[in-house]
Amino acid sequence: MPDDLVTTVQFDNRYQRELPGTYARVTPTPMKNPRWVAWNEPLARELNWPNPPDDDVLAAFSGHGQLEGTDPIAQKYAGHQFGTFNPDLGDGRGLLLGEWVDGQGQHWDFHLKGAGKTPFSRFGDGRAVLRSSIRELLASEALHGLGIPTTRALALVGSDEPVMRERLENGAMLLRVAKTHIRFGHFEWFAFSGQTDKLEQLLAFCLTHLFPDCKNTPDPAAALFDAVVTRTAHLIAHWMSTGFCHGVMNTDNMSIIGDTFDYGPYAFLDALQPGFICNHTDTGGRYAYNRQPDIAFWNLQCLAQALAGIADQGALRDSLSRFAEHYNARFLELMGARLGVLNVSEEDQSLIRDWMQLATDEAVDFHRPLRELAEMETSDWARLDDDYSDRSRFRRFRQALAERREQEPDTQTLALASNPVSILRTHHAQAVIDACEQGDDSLLHSYLAALQSPFEVRPEWQRWRAPPPASYHAHPLSCSS
Ligand code: AMP
Ligand code: MG
């Protein structure tokens, strides 16, 4: 390749440069005896990352050295946690190292989670533990594999540094990659602390780098908000149609670009339980599975309030009023696809509702029956009748669906491409964590690969297909990660 066609890749630091006074410069705190636990080679290739996971990179991703061109900072933000405004938030244990510029000139935040204390750590130790870092790695790659917008994870570094949680655990650092780490809470902070100039700068930053289509419009702040409403509605529809529960939908965990962000006590549903709560500290069920669309709307209202001083309020209200429309349209499209139905009609909507109600009443697994329907010819579906206590109800449903599927070509292809084989299950994740805590990372690598290609059937991934045995009781998951 001629020299002038070789793109130089490097770090940029736009956030540091363009948003002065909104962060603290912090040097990562080295973590004892770092070791590689996982390296995400497919992502490294996507990013055009040139370095193999060698000792220099290991040092940089464990606080022992810095990559040339990076300028680590802790960002300041605020947010509503469980409905209450908290002005004291910010990166308490993660640092934005810099923005990696890939071969196409795209910028990617490199964020090191678990990098030590910052001015925003409050009572925390600034660390992350291996258990929750594995959970974040698995989840972000699983959601990406399913086509759901999400932050990614390039690397996971383990350590024998003890970190106290509900028990003593091993520390770890996760190198998180995202187009941005700007949250709803960033806007809330500048608005509610009266820093209008900084709010305007943040808006300008987002318009230039993240929402260029909104920039040259009569009311760019309102245009940006409208785009955020749409993206968020689509994101939540995707979560709901795949049975994903985030668990801590505080506004500081809501990405401005509609990525799934900040994985904590999340879970994918096993059985379809609409009121399922994955976070055991969420005793009121504020963030239960079936509340996620309402909570997303509530969070968008907080963002609208933060923008109210710099955007037309009528326009903000109009955008909010379209949330349900965006959400419903995308949810029906996605659920329709899972049933093999393209172009969802009014009648198809009742077919989808029938399935959701049937699956709920029968407490069947959220994923497996749909995959089985996808894999089998419609003429063989009768073999599934015995899986339901109300056999005739299921028979009526499958007959209606089979009739509907006859009206379109390639419905099986659509259903197969919309129903994953490998799902991130809490019990499998726990088995992986248990093995890694004993120093065996092989299960993690296998599960990660399966989740990155969730529609692919491979004999060696067979074990990851199994739902939990009826006797399985998940460890309660909490925010203390
Ligand atoms: P999270 O529950 O991870 O979304 O975090 C909520 C807030 O607490 C954020 O401001 C985090 O930076 C902060 N935080 C969480 N865990 C720690 C920790 N171990 N040390 C310091 N700050 C933390
Ligand atoms: Mg958070």
Side-chain angles (χ1 to χ4, degrees):
M1 196 187 283
D3 271 356
D4 57 353
L5 288 184
V6 179
T7 325
T8 44
V9 277
Q10 56 180 353
F11 281 96
D12 195 0
N13 298 294
R14 299 180 307 189
Y15 194 94
Q16 291 86 330
R17 211 167 45 241
E18 296 175 30
L19 295 169
T22 70
Y23 53 81
R25 282 211 161 73
V26 181
T27 306
T29 310
M31 186 175 65
K32 281 191 198 118
N33 300 328
R35 70 172 182 98
W36 285 117
V37 177
W39 175 256
N40 188 347
E41 186 55 33
L43 178 58
R45 275 198 303 273
E46 273 177 58
L47 295 172
N48 220 10
W49 176 257
N51 303 317
D54 59 16
D55 286 351
D56 289 342
V57 180
L58 181 67
F61 290 179
S62 58
H64 290 274
Q66 285 196 25
L67 295 164
E68 203 185 321
T70 56
D71 181 12
I73 58 162
Q75 298 180 340
K76 171 64 192 160
Y77 50 83
H80 280 81
Q81 299 180 304
F82 290 90
T84 305
F85 184 64
N86 184 346
D88 293 328
L89 301 175
D91 288 332
R93 52 146 162 195
L95 297 174
L96 173 64
L97 301 181
E99 294 161 55
W100 172 250
V101 187
D102 70 15
Q104 281 76 48
Q106 292 209 70
H107 287 58
W108 297 94
D109 280 8
F110 269 34
H111 177 103
L112 190 59
K113 194 166 175 179
K117 283 190 189 168
T118 80
F120 314 119
S121 296
R122 296 175 296 159
F123 308 109
D125 56 13
R127 290 306 196 196
V129 295
L130 183 64
R131 169 180 52 91
S132 46
S133 305
I134 290 172
R135 283 175 46 83
E136 173 149 358
L137 168 67
L138 290 174
S140 49
E141 293 308 298
L143 268 77
H144 179 73
L146 293 170
I148 305 176
T150 175
T151 59
R152 306 286 304 276
L154 177 62
L156 173 50
V157 177
S159 157
D160 52 16
E161 186 168 308
V163 175
M164 192 58 198
R165 292 293 179 264
E166 274 126 2
R167 60 183 169 94
L168 213 50
E169 301 190 39
N170 283 335
M173 288 195 201
L174 184 86
L175 199 284
R176 182 159 76 186
V177 176
K179 283 268 173 63
T180 186
H181 278 71
I182 297 175
R183 311 148 188 256
F184 289 12
H186 279 76
F187 285 86
E188 291 179 279
W189 166 244
F190 297 122
F192 298 136
S193 59
Q195 302 180 71
T196 312
D197 55 334
K198 296 219 164 65
L199 183 65
E200 302 260 15
Q201 284 163 22
L202 179 67
L203 174 70
F205 185 92
C206 291
L207 289 167
T208 303
H209 303 306
L210 304 168
F211 294 89
D213 293 349
C214 301
K215 199 170 176 182
N216 297 314
T217 57
D219 187 342
L224 177 136
F225 182 69
D226 193 64
V228 178
V229 170
T230 310
R231 287 191 196 193
T232 306
H234 289 168
L235 175 72
I236 309 301
H238 229 138
W239 288 359
M240 297 302 286
S241 70
T242 47
F244 179 76
C245 311
H246 182 282
V248 203
M249 286 177 69
N250 295 333
T251 56
D252 54 302
N253 292 337
M254 298 290 291
S255 151
I256 198 70
I257 55 170
D259 272 351
T260 311
F261 197 84
D262 259 12
Y263 293 92
Y266 72 82
F268 277 85
L269 293 177
D270 291 309
L272 177 43
Q273 291 172 278
F276 178 73
I277 304 165
C278 59
N279 178 354
H280 84 105
T281 52
D282 182 15
T283 43
R286 180 180 172 87
Y287 299 138
Y289 167 71
N290 60 359
R291 297 220 56 218
Q292 296 185 117
D294 283 349
I295 290 293
F297 182 79
W298 194 93
N299 289 344
L300 284 162
Q301 283 181 305
C302 292
L303 180 62
Q305 262 170 24
L307 292 170
I310 57 169
D312 178 69
Q313 296 190 19
L316 296 175
R317 263 195 298 275
D318 286 349
S319 297
L320 275 174
S321 71
R322 286 190 293 272
F323 174 86
E325 206 179 298
H326 294 308
Y327 170 80
N328 286 330
R330 183 55 62 91
F331 179 76
L332 290 169
E333 182 196 330
L334 291 164
M335 275 314 293
R338 296 200 72 168
L339 294 176
V341 174
L342 201 65
N343 305 317
V344 173
S345 67
E346 291 269 317
E347 256 173 64
D348 297 334
Q349 293 185 26
S350 44
L351 204 58
I352 291 169
R353 264 195 302 275
D354 284 351
W355 168 254
M356 299 295 277
Q357 196 56 53
L358 170 65
T360 304
D361 294 345
E362 294 270 345
V364 291
D365 188 72
F366 190 86
H367 316 276
R368 194 154 141 149
L370 290 175
R371 179 70 201 183
E372 283 170 345
L373 286 170
E375 284 178 347
M376 291 162 72
E377 299 293 331
T378 47
S379 52
D380 290 335
W381 282 357
R383 282 173 23 210
L384 298 171
D385 289 359
D386 286 344
D387 294 347
Y388 299 83
S389 59
D390 190 344
R391 295 171 86 250
S392 56
R393 184 177 176 192
F394 176 70
R395 192 180 327 114
R396 281 196 302 280
F397 166 76
R398 66 162 169 81
Q399 281 166 348
L401 181 59
E403 262 172 49
R404 173 64 183 85
R405 298 245 314 234
E406 272 162 29
Q407 296 165 19
E408 278 177 30
D410 293 333
T411 57
Q412 191 171 19
T413 311
L414 176 65
L416 281 171
S418 311
N419 289 290
V421 182
S422 301
I423 296 291
L424 177 46
R425 307 257 193 191
T426 304
H427 71 298
H428 290 320
Q430 192 55 49
V432 163
I433 290 165
D434 292 342
C436 286
E437 286 184 340
Q438 301 303 316
D440 174 7
D441 304 333
S442 59
L443 277 187
L444 171 64
H445 298 152
S446 164
Y447 201 22
L448 187 60
L451 294 171
Q452 285 174 326
S453 301
F455 301 100
E456 208 177 301
V457 180
R458 285 208 207 161
E460 68 267 31
W461 294 342
Q462 184 64 24
R463 68 172 291 169
W464 305 124
R465 289 189 75 153
S471 58
Y472 182 78
H473 292 290
H475 298 242
L477 300 165
S478 75
C479 287
S480 73
S481 54

